[in-house]
Amino acid sequence: MSGRVTHEMEIGSGPSSRRHTQPSSHIHKVERPPQQNLLTEFQTVIKETFFHDEPLKAFQGQKSHTRFFLVLKAIFPILEWARSYNLEKFRGDLIAGLTIASLCVPQDIAYAKLANLDPQYGLYSSFVPPLIYAFMGSSRDIAIGPVAVVSLLIGTMAQNEIDPKKNALAYRRLVFTATFFAGVTQFALGFFRLGFLIDFLSHAAIVGFMAGAAITIGLQQLKGLLGITNFTKKTDIISVMHSVFGTVHHGWNWQTIVIGLSFLAFLLITKYIAKKYSKLFWVSAIAPLTSVIIATFCVYITRADKEGVAIVQYIKKGINPSSAHEIYWTGDLLLKGFKIGVVAGLIALTEAIAIGRTFAAVKDYNVDGNKEMVAMGTMNIVGSMTSCYVATGSFSRSAVNFMAGCNTAVANIVMSCVVLLTLELITPLFKYTPNAVLASIIIAAVVPLVDIPAAILLWKIDKFDFLACMGAFFGVVFKSVEIGLLIAVAISFAKILLQVTRPRTAVLGRLPGTSVYRNVEQYPNATTVSGILIIRVDSAIYFSNSNYIKERILRWLSNEEEDLKINGRPRIKYLIIEMSPVTDIDTSGIHSFEELHKTLQNRDVKLVLANPGAIVTEKLHASEFTKKTGEDMIFLTVADAIEMLSPRIKELP
């Protein structure tokens, strides 16, 4: 076979693709009508973007009643695994459900206060949403309920619109409205298969945002931990510190401080024990409930509430009342609720998907992201109509659920049943629960969100990622949760734009003793070929980066020619562009190549392309660019190009 140009056309895709290689002096374009090319390309983009998991494949060739049952299983995954459910699995789910219930009850009461709601609304949110998720969710390990970050987010954003103390009803209605739109946002993302949008919030930005939110949440709990009555409504660290130290002589309550710090130390010690000895995970799981029971008993027998120790006082008894009539369906507050709901829904969804995928990877099963979004959206839509605020996957509860040996989502059902019993029978017993112990529970719960090792790793691997992390962190801590989130999103988008508009290019050289060509910076022993400059473009070529790529290639050429002139070596006669990483090219890219070709002609340098892909080849032929360069200037590999062009260099003047 000739070492000259061969055309490689892939039929189909994936590992089973068949390759046909035709030796030729130029690349043959695939003979398809232009309309068919465009249609095929469009269909491929749609499939890979929205239907890469082939959701309709299971329905092909099935009878009507079978398809109906498959639809039901797709909506309610419980129908899939319920058939193989047995007593042994239930035993594990029962233990796990009871364990996470002991953790969720005190946390729910505390998180409701973080959202500026009465304690019962936290319990409501751990009753209805987990039941719905158990039927519709695809994760076996995730535990559903209110979480600290989302509670803070809703509390601060809603508080900016309505004062929860002066107008508690209007504030509560706004929260339910926000919860409804959070659910709508999540459902829409899943139903229309737009889940990839949440990936625009990078891991680095999430690490920084979560750490900043954890610091902010901890600072907010100083009010309950120190017994301060008049506390700032702002969340930035400067305002909080001013509020804390401005009341040090007349606003702190020593009994409250003793209670808060004592139980905070107890909770942190139990967390350390559980982390060091994994079999003792239950110690940390029951610690919050144990703290509430002991603290409530101590306050009751000593009547410390008469000495200024703030207590819960009253939790409404009974199951969730309907709240559909309380959602704002018209007016200015509808739009405000929509704004809060979209932000809270996206943050809640990001956290839940990350948790679900983490535990699914450990247990080696798949979590369907789109089904998760639909399930989360449905439970929050229903929750908004049953007096719940935004619920999502809780990392602390999910970790305990996993360690306790859960097998299926039945653990969520068990937890919901325990919360139901709590609402019906036990809520009056929380009357003397001190706010200080609830503050200590929240602080202990958010400590793991400050992931210092992750930040250090970001610094070591990617400085831009570290910048995104720190930007989100300082935005939350020094300004507000919304500003921190905005910074996180902005930096994530900036990174994407930077990588798209400024792709990497590299000069290639031949590795000694081989016909392999690699980056000369990565492999210093790689040698360049006299009279030939080889440049690799490491991305698709679009309107956003085409001009930069052209200028970068010309800069490489100018730098190389200067070095050759200084060293008295022959000038560059051929410029080879290695195009195997170039997955696509648009009209702007082709136009830039045409400009590059003209510039090189003026410099008496010939443009050569090596290994363009099938799509790129078709577009180059369709634009007739190959006629301008000459089809004999397009090769299958860099090695083929060098083999063919090297003899010509000696012939050129």
Side-chain angles (χ1 to χ4, degrees), residues 553-584:
I553 291 172
L554 291 174
R555 202 180 317 140
W556 279 121
L557 178 61
S558 298
N559 293 340
E560 187 69 17
E561 286 180 334
E562 286 178 11
D563 291 341
L564 293 175
K565 188 175 181 180
I566 293 172
N567 297 320
R569 297 175 60 189
R571 67 177 182 85
I572 298 297
K573 298 172 182 177
Y574 290 99
L575 173 65
I576 300 176
I577 301 180
E578 157 66 300
M579 298 189 67
S580 54
V582 180
T583 55
D584 199 359

Short mmCIF file of all heavy atoms in Angstrom, two decimals, residues 553-584:
data_model
loop_
_atom_site.label_atom_id
_atom_site.label_comp_id
_atom_site.label_asym_id
_atom_site.label_seq_id
_atom_site.Cartn_x
_atom_site.Cartn_y
_atom_site.Cartn_z
N ILE A 553 -0.93 29.47 15.37
CA ILE A 553 -0.13 28.70 14.41
C ILE A 553 0.90 29.60 13.74
O ILE A 553 2.08 29.23 13.61
CB ILE A 553 -1.06 28.04 13.36
CG1 ILE A 553 -1.89 26.93 14.01
CG2 ILE A 553 -0.23 27.47 12.21
CD1 ILE A 553 -2.95 26.34 13.10
N LEU A 554 0.48 30.80 13.34
CA LEU A 554 1.41 31.73 12.70
C LEU A 554 2.51 32.19 13.67
O LEU A 554 3.65 32.42 13.27
CB LEU A 554 0.66 32.94 12.16
CG LEU A 554 -0.27 32.66 10.96
CD1 LEU A 554 -1.08 33.89 10.60
CD2 LEU A 554 0.57 32.19 9.75
N ARG A 555 2.14 32.29 14.96
CA ARG A 555 3.14 32.67 15.96
C ARG A 555 4.18 31.56 16.13
O ARG A 555 5.38 31.81 16.25
CB ARG A 555 2.47 32.98 17.28
CG ARG A 555 3.32 33.87 18.21
CD ARG A 555 2.62 34.16 19.51
NE ARG A 555 1.20 34.46 19.30
CZ ARG A 555 0.23 34.03 20.10
NH1 ARG A 555 0.53 33.25 21.13
NH2 ARG A 555 -1.00 34.34 19.88
N TRP A 556 3.69 30.30 16.15
CA TRP A 556 4.62 29.17 16.21
C TRP A 556 5.58 29.22 15.01
O TRP A 556 6.79 29.01 15.16
CB TRP A 556 3.85 27.84 16.18
CG TRP A 556 3.26 27.36 17.47
CD1 TRP A 556 1.94 27.12 17.72
CD2 TRP A 556 3.95 27.04 18.68
NE1 TRP A 556 1.76 26.67 19.01
CE2 TRP A 556 2.98 26.61 19.62
CE3 TRP A 556 5.29 27.07 19.07
CZ2 TRP A 556 3.31 26.22 20.91
CZ3 TRP A 556 5.62 26.68 20.37
CH2 TRP A 556 4.64 26.27 21.27
N LEU A 557 5.01 29.48 13.84
CA LEU A 557 5.81 29.52 12.63
C LEU A 557 6.85 30.64 12.69
O LEU A 557 8.03 30.43 12.35
CB LEU A 557 4.90 29.70 11.41
CG LEU A 557 5.59 29.79 10.05
CD1 LEU A 557 6.38 28.52 9.75
CD2 LEU A 557 4.57 30.07 8.95
N SER A 558 6.45 31.83 13.13
CA SER A 558 7.37 32.97 13.21
C SER A 558 8.50 32.69 14.20
O SER A 558 9.68 32.97 13.91
CB SER A 558 6.61 34.23 13.62
OG SER A 558 5.64 34.57 12.66
N ASN A 559 8.14 32.13 15.36
CA ASN A 559 9.16 31.82 16.37
C ASN A 559 10.16 30.79 15.85
O ASN A 559 11.37 30.91 16.07
CB ASN A 559 8.50 31.30 17.65
CG ASN A 559 7.68 32.36 18.35
OD1 ASN A 559 7.87 33.55 18.12
ND2 ASN A 559 6.77 31.94 19.21
N GLU A 560 9.62 29.78 15.13
CA GLU A 560 10.49 28.74 14.60
C GLU A 560 11.42 29.30 13.52
O GLU A 560 12.61 28.96 13.48
CB GLU A 560 9.64 27.60 14.03
CG GLU A 560 10.41 26.37 13.59
CD GLU A 560 11.00 25.60 14.76
OE1 GLU A 560 10.57 25.83 15.91
OE2 GLU A 560 11.92 24.78 14.53
N GLU A 561 10.89 30.16 12.67
CA GLU A 561 11.71 30.73 11.60
C GLU A 561 12.81 31.63 12.16
O GLU A 561 13.92 31.67 11.64
CB GLU A 561 10.82 31.50 10.63
CG GLU A 561 9.99 30.60 9.73
CD GLU A 561 9.11 31.38 8.76
OE1 GLU A 561 8.77 32.55 9.09
OE2 GLU A 561 8.75 30.83 7.71
N GLU A 562 12.51 32.35 13.24
CA GLU A 562 13.52 33.19 13.88
C GLU A 562 14.66 32.34 14.43
O GLU A 562 15.84 32.67 14.26
CB GLU A 562 12.89 34.02 14.99
CG GLU A 562 12.04 35.17 14.49
CD GLU A 562 11.40 35.94 15.63
OE1 GLU A 562 11.80 35.71 16.80
OE2 GLU A 562 10.52 36.78 15.36
N ASP A 563 14.30 31.24 15.10
CA ASP A 563 15.33 30.34 15.65
C ASP A 563 16.17 29.74 14.54
O ASP A 563 17.40 29.63 14.67
CB ASP A 563 14.66 29.23 16.47
CG ASP A 563 14.03 29.75 17.75
OD1 ASP A 563 14.41 30.86 18.17
OD2 ASP A 563 13.16 29.06 18.31
N LEU A 564 15.51 29.32 13.44
CA LEU A 564 16.25 28.72 12.33
C LEU A 564 17.21 29.73 11.70
O LEU A 564 18.33 29.40 11.31
CB LEU A 564 15.28 28.18 11.28
CG LEU A 564 14.39 27.00 11.71
CD1 LEU A 564 13.40 26.67 10.61
CD2 LEU A 564 15.24 25.77 12.04
N LYS A 565 16.75 30.98 11.58
CA LYS A 565 17.59 32.02 10.98
C LYS A 565 18.82 32.29 11.83
O LYS A 565 19.93 32.46 11.32
CB LYS A 565 16.76 33.29 10.81
CG LYS A 565 17.47 34.38 10.01
CD LYS A 565 16.53 35.55 9.78
CE LYS A 565 17.23 36.62 8.96
NZ LYS A 565 16.34 37.80 8.71
N ILE A 566 18.62 32.33 13.16
CA ILE A 566 19.74 32.57 14.08
C ILE A 566 20.76 31.44 13.98
O ILE A 566 21.98 31.66 13.99
CB ILE A 566 19.22 32.72 15.52
CG1 ILE A 566 18.40 34.00 15.64
CG2 ILE A 566 20.38 32.72 16.52
CD1 ILE A 566 17.69 34.14 16.97
N ASN A 567 20.26 30.20 13.87
CA ASN A 567 21.15 29.03 13.84
C ASN A 567 21.63 28.68 12.44
O ASN A 567 22.36 27.70 12.26
CB ASN A 567 20.43 27.81 14.45
CG ASN A 567 20.10 28.02 15.92
OD1 ASN A 567 20.90 28.58 16.66
ND2 ASN A 567 18.91 27.58 16.33
N GLY A 568 21.20 29.44 11.43
CA GLY A 568 21.65 29.21 10.07
C GLY A 568 21.15 27.91 9.47
O GLY A 568 21.82 27.31 8.62
N ARG A 569 19.94 27.50 9.87
CA ARG A 569 19.37 26.26 9.35
C ARG A 569 18.35 26.57 8.25
O ARG A 569 17.88 27.71 8.14
CB ARG A 569 18.71 25.47 10.48
CG ARG A 569 19.71 25.03 11.57
CD ARG A 569 18.99 24.37 12.72
NE ARG A 569 18.27 23.18 12.27
CZ ARG A 569 17.41 22.51 13.06
NH1 ARG A 569 17.17 22.94 14.28
NH2 ARG A 569 16.81 21.44 12.59
N PRO A 570 17.97 25.55 7.44
CA PRO A 570 17.03 25.79 6.33
C PRO A 570 15.67 26.28 6.85
O PRO A 570 15.22 25.88 7.93
CB PRO A 570 16.89 24.41 5.68
CG PRO A 570 18.12 23.67 6.08
CD PRO A 570 18.49 24.17 7.44
N ARG A 571 15.04 27.11 6.03
CA ARG A 571 13.75 27.66 6.42
C ARG A 571 12.65 26.59 6.37
O ARG A 571 12.83 25.51 5.80
CB ARG A 571 13.39 28.81 5.48
CG ARG A 571 13.11 28.38 4.05
CD ARG A 571 12.69 29.55 3.19
NE ARG A 571 12.38 29.13 1.82
CZ ARG A 571 11.19 28.65 1.45
NH1 ARG A 571 10.22 28.53 2.33
NH2 ARG A 571 10.98 28.29 0.18
N ILE A 572 11.49 26.95 6.94
CA ILE A 572 10.33 26.05 6.93
C ILE A 572 9.67 26.09 5.55
O ILE A 572 9.37 27.17 5.01
CB ILE A 572 9.30 26.46 8.01
CG1 ILE A 572 9.92 26.37 9.41
CG2 ILE A 572 8.05 25.60 7.92
CD1 ILE A 572 10.32 24.98 9.81
N LYS A 573 9.46 24.92 4.96
CA LYS A 573 8.83 24.83 3.64
C LYS A 573 7.44 24.19 3.70
O LYS A 573 6.61 24.42 2.82
CB LYS A 573 9.73 24.04 2.70
CG LYS A 573 11.10 24.72 2.51
CD LYS A 573 12.05 23.84 1.73
CE LYS A 573 13.42 24.51 1.59
NZ LYS A 573 14.42 23.66 0.91
N TYR A 574 7.21 23.37 4.76
CA TYR A 574 5.90 22.74 4.92
C TYR A 574 5.42 22.94 6.36
O TYR A 574 6.19 22.76 7.32
CB TYR A 574 5.97 21.24 4.63
CG TYR A 574 6.19 20.90 3.17
CD1 TYR A 574 7.46 20.58 2.71
CD2 TYR A 574 5.13 20.91 2.27
CE1 TYR A 574 7.68 20.27 1.37
CE2 TYR A 574 5.34 20.59 0.93
CZ TYR A 574 6.61 20.28 0.49
OH TYR A 574 6.80 19.98 -0.82
N LEU A 575 4.15 23.30 6.50
CA LEU A 575 3.51 23.39 7.82
C LEU A 575 2.44 22.30 7.88
O LEU A 575 1.44 22.36 7.16
CB LEU A 575 2.88 24.77 8.03
CG LEU A 575 2.04 24.92 9.30
CD1 LEU A 575 2.91 24.80 10.55
CD2 LEU A 575 1.31 26.25 9.32
N ILE A 576 2.67 21.31 8.73
CA ILE A 576 1.72 20.20 8.89
C ILE A 576 0.86 20.45 10.12
O ILE A 576 1.38 20.69 11.21
CB ILE A 576 2.44 18.84 9.03
CG1 ILE A 576 3.31 18.56 7.80
CG2 ILE A 576 1.44 17.72 9.25
CD1 ILE A 576 4.13 17.29 7.92
N ILE A 577 -0.44 20.42 9.95
CA ILE A 577 -1.37 20.53 11.08
C ILE A 577 -1.92 19.14 11.39
O ILE A 577 -2.63 18.55 10.55
CB ILE A 577 -2.51 21.52 10.80
CG1 ILE A 577 -1.94 22.90 10.49
CG2 ILE A 577 -3.46 21.58 11.98
CD1 ILE A 577 -3.01 23.94 10.18
N GLU A 578 -1.57 18.62 12.55
CA GLU A 578 -2.09 17.32 13.00
C GLU A 578 -3.50 17.54 13.51
O GLU A 578 -3.73 18.26 14.50
CB GLU A 578 -1.18 16.76 14.10
CG GLU A 578 -1.79 15.75 15.03
CD GLU A 578 -2.17 14.45 14.37
OE1 GLU A 578 -2.99 14.50 13.44
OE2 GLU A 578 -1.67 13.39 14.79
N MET A 579 -4.51 16.95 12.85
CA MET A 579 -5.91 17.27 13.13
C MET A 579 -6.70 16.13 13.76
O MET A 579 -7.93 16.20 13.83
CB MET A 579 -6.60 17.71 11.83
CG MET A 579 -6.00 18.97 11.23
SD MET A 579 -6.96 19.62 9.86
CE MET A 579 -8.46 20.14 10.67
N SER A 580 -6.02 15.11 14.27
CA SER A 580 -6.77 14.00 14.88
C SER A 580 -7.60 14.44 16.09
O SER A 580 -8.69 13.90 16.32
CB SER A 580 -5.82 12.86 15.26
OG SER A 580 -4.78 13.31 16.08
N PRO A 581 -7.15 15.44 16.91
CA PRO A 581 -8.01 15.88 18.01
C PRO A 581 -9.14 16.80 17.58
O PRO A 581 -10.02 17.11 18.37
CB PRO A 581 -7.04 16.65 18.94
CG PRO A 581 -5.66 16.32 18.47
CD PRO A 581 -5.80 16.06 17.02
N VAL A 582 -9.13 17.26 16.32
CA VAL A 582 -10.15 18.20 15.84
C VAL A 582 -11.40 17.41 15.47
O VAL A 582 -11.49 16.81 14.40
CB VAL A 582 -9.64 19.01 14.63
CG1 VAL A 582 -10.72 19.98 14.15
CG2 VAL A 582 -8.36 19.76 14.98
N THR A 583 -12.38 17.40 16.37
CA THR A 583 -13.58 16.59 16.18
C THR A 583 -14.58 17.24 15.24
O THR A 583 -15.43 16.57 14.66
CB THR A 583 -14.27 16.33 17.52
OG1 THR A 583 -14.53 17.59 18.16
CG2 THR A 583 -13.38 15.48 18.42
N ASP A 584 -14.49 18.58 15.07
CA ASP A 584 -15.45 19.26 14.21
C ASP A 584 -14.87 20.61 13.80
O ASP A 584 -13.92 21.11 14.41
CB ASP A 584 -16.77 19.48 14.96
CG ASP A 584 -17.94 19.74 14.01
OD1 ASP A 584 -17.71 19.77 12.78
OD2 ASP A 584 -19.06 19.92 14.50
#
